[in-house]
Amino acid sequence: MQTISVRVLDVLDWALYRAVRLAALADAPTAFASTLGRELAFSEDRWRERLAGRNQFVAEDGGEVCGLVGVVPADPGVAELVSLWVRPAARGRGVGDLLVREVLRWAGDHDVPTVRLWVAEGNEPAERLYARHDFRRTGTVQPVRPGADALEFAMTRSVPVDGAG
């Protein structure tokens, strides 16, 4: 069995990021605030800009990407965990846990005391994953996308700033 590792992407990894992000949107179209059709139209420059504006991590198993997560600055003292996705064949192997821990480590290392995320209503596996890492619902709910009927709820977690997660 291969060891799953996590690494950060840089702007030179834009094509890999594009491929994995599009796979995520195709696999779970109701889980994200964007759509496959919207992101298929992105230019190379747009993909590079996205990577430049966030910390985007991939999980790899034997050189094959099996998961994706991003962390972006939000409000002062708050980072958002975004775009978490695990390839269906890799689910149940701890990939999601590794990716969440990487975001929490990043937040601690960068003195960001709170991590927030959004979960689509009805996505119980995602909510269980985040709850395992001490994320709790805040009570805030919003549409997944503007004008959509589907809702998502916020979850947050405090992060020790010493890098422990």
Side-chain angles (χ1 to χ4, degrees), residues 120-137:
E121 287 283 358
N123 190 347
E124 287 87 10
E127 186 173 8
R128 284 192 304 272
L129 166 65
Y130 300 130
R132 280 197 307 271
H133 294 277
D134 298 322
F135 283 88
R136 300 291 175 250
R137 286 188 185 218

Side-chain angles (χ1 to χ4, degrees), residues 2-21:
Q2 295 286 337
T3 300
I4 299 169
S5 61
V6 178
R7 70 177 176 97
V8 68
L9 297 178
D10 67 28
V11 294
L12 297 176
D13 294 311
W14 74 268
L16 174 63
Y17 173 48
R18 179 186 189 274
V20 177
R21 175 68 174 164

Side-chain angles (χ1 to χ4, degrees), residues 20 25 53 65 94 97-98 102 109 142 144-145 152:
V20 177
L25 291 166
V65 174
D97 292 302
L98 285 172
E102 189 66 23
D109 288 351
Q142 67 183 19
V144 171
R145 287 185 280 280
E152 62 184 1

Side-chain angles (χ1 to χ4, degrees), residues 14-100:
W14 74 268
L16 174 63
Y17 173 48
R18 179 186 189 274
V20 177
R21 175 68 174 164
L22 295 179
L25 291 166
D27 175 59
T30 60
F32 301 104
S34 190
T35 65
L36 179 61
R38 177 177 174 261
E39 294 194 18
L40 275 169
F42 286 178
S43 66
E44 176 182 334
D45 286 343
R46 178 74 170 113
W47 288 105
R48 288 174 177 269
E49 288 169 11
R50 289 182 95 187
L51 284 174
R54 67 176 66 197
N55 289 279
Q56 192 71 48
F57 300 95
V58 291
E60 295 174 311
D61 185 0
E64 182 178 332
V65 174
C66 57
L68 179 74
V69 70
V71 60
V72 295
D75 302 321
V78 179
E80 281 205 359
L81 181 157
V82 297
S83 305
L84 187 129
W85 176 74
V86 175
R87 192 172 299 283
R91 292 178 186 157
R93 297 179 48 217
V95 175
D97 292 302
L98 285 172
L99 292 167
V100 170

